[in-house]
Amino acid sequence: VRPHLPALPSAPPSTFSALHSAYSRRYLLITVAALQPLWLAFALAQVLAVRRIVRLVDGTHTGSLTLGIALAAAMGATALGQALCLHHVFRYAMRVGMHVRAVISARVYQKAMRMRLGYAAAEREDGQEDARGNNSEATNVLTNDTQRVLDAYTYVPFLISNPIIMLVVSAVLVWNLGVAALLGVVVLMMLIPVQLLVGAGTAKLRARIIRETDSRVAMMSEVVRGVRVIKYGAWEAEMARRIQQIRKREVRWLMLAGVLEA
């Protein structure tokens, strides 16, 4: 009896679906559901220890020297626990991000190679020019755009857990300082639109930087391929001047983006 084999899918498998199945559940479980609440617990324990130490110092509560030493040791232990939790969040998130970045880079490389072979088989002049431009764009994607993927996987756990942490911290502030602590919470909430505007401006600058980088990479590819003609015509200085102009514009936009992010 022949075994029943499952039917093969008609469409090629999706890279996004494969990455989601391989990493998403464990990634969110470890970084958001396990380590972030543990970090918050250490932070709250440190706040309680500091509160008790302050009351011991100002004489509100009485206690022995042993209690003070124990509270100081608890502060150190909670600080160490927070550092370890954050370290492991960044470690695991960056590890998953690097795996995803490697997969995307491999897919982009495969796509670029297929396009290059297709243009080479066509043997047309316009097709060769398009191939050169697409190769430069693929190089830019491999070097710059995949870095954004790594950054996203690194900071997504904080994007998910920060609203919950803000609510818990606000409740603790009100419990310790009273209703007056809500003023600080309101100021923090007012800064969120400012951060959104800064993020939107940074995204626009990054898009402009990518365009300048594409132009520079394309120009460098043209120079490398036509180096013999450039040597024959003594155009080295002119090509260097054009590349330097593009690079100066790129560096100017990079500096502006760095200032805005800072």
Side-chain angles (χ1 to χ4, degrees):
V1 178
R2 295 181 61 185
H4 176 71
L5 298 177
L8 295 176
S10 57
S14 171
T15 303
F16 176 78
S17 300
L19 292 174
H20 177 72
S21 301
Y23 296 110
S24 294
R25 183 177 300 177
R26 184 177 177 86
Y27 167 76
L28 294 176
L29 181 64
I30 293 178
T31 58
V32 179
L35 292 176
Q36 293 277 13
L38 188 59
W39 175 87
L40 182 60
F42 280 122
L44 293 177
Q46 188 177 30
V47 170
L48 294 176
V50 172
R51 183 169 180 263
R52 186 64 184 274
I53 288 176
V54 170
R55 292 189 175 185
L56 284 177
V57 171
D58 63 10
T60 305
H61 287 177
T62 58
S64 62
L65 179 61
T66 304
L67 178 60
I69 295 174
L71 290 173
M75 285 183 57
T78 52
L80 179 61
Q82 291 181 66
L84 290 176
C85 289
L86 282 180
H87 169 76
H88 284 289
V89 168
F90 278 109
R91 171 187 171 274
Y92 190 79
M94 293 184 68
R95 181 181 179 184
V96 173
M98 292 176 71
H99 288 176
V100 175
R101 180 184 181 183
V103 171
I104 295 177
S105 298
R107 296 290 292 172
V108 171
Y109 178 77
Q110 293 173 1
K111 180 68 174 180
M113 290 299 100
R114 287 198 300 268
M115 294 174 65
R116 184 180 180 89
L117 292 175
Y119 283 118
E123 294 182 352
R124 294 190 305 224
E125 186 65 25
D126 56 349
Q128 292 175 2
E129 292 176 0
D130 291 339
R132 288 195 290 266
N134 287 324
N135 286 336
S136 64
E137 293 176 4
T139 302
N140 190 27
V141 168
L142 287 173
T143 55
N144 293 328
D145 293 354
T146 54
Q147 180 62 34
R148 306 283 83 80
V149 175
L150 175 59
D151 294 340
Y153 269 87
T154 302
Y155 295 106
V156 157
F158 300 97
L159 181 64
I160 296 174
S161 61
N162 277 349
I164 301 174
I165 292 176
M166 183 177 293
L167 291 176
V168 174
V169 170
S170 300
V172 173
L173 286 174
V174 172
W175 176 53
N176 281 280
L177 303 177
V179 183
L182 291 176
L183 180 61
V185 177
V186 171
V187 173
L188 289 177
M189 298 296 291
M190 292 173 62
L191 290 177
I192 293 178
V194 178
Q195 294 178 351
L196 293 176
L197 292 175
V198 172
T202 304
K204 292 181 179 179
L205 288 176
R206 289 295 178 186
R208 183 60 183 267
I209 292 168
I210 289 174
R211 289 198 297 269
E212 297 292 344
T213 304
D214 285 338
S215 300
R216 178 173 57 83
V217 173
M219 178 66 72
M220 287 298 301
S221 299
E222 294 290 337
V223 170
V224 171
R225 288 183 175 86
V227 63
R228 183 176 299 178
V229 178
I230 293 173
K231 287 290 185 179
Y232 285 160
W235 295 334
E236 297 94 333
E238 177 63 21
M239 292 295 104
R241 184 184 65 82
R242 294 186 180 184
I243 294 173
Q244 287 176 359
Q245 286 179 350
I246 299 175
R247 180 58 180 169
K248 286 180 180 179
R249 293 198 302 267
E250 183 184 1
V251 170
R252 183 168 65 250
W253 289 112
L254 281 170
M255 292 179 62
L256 185 58
V259 171
L260 189 59
E261 290 178 356

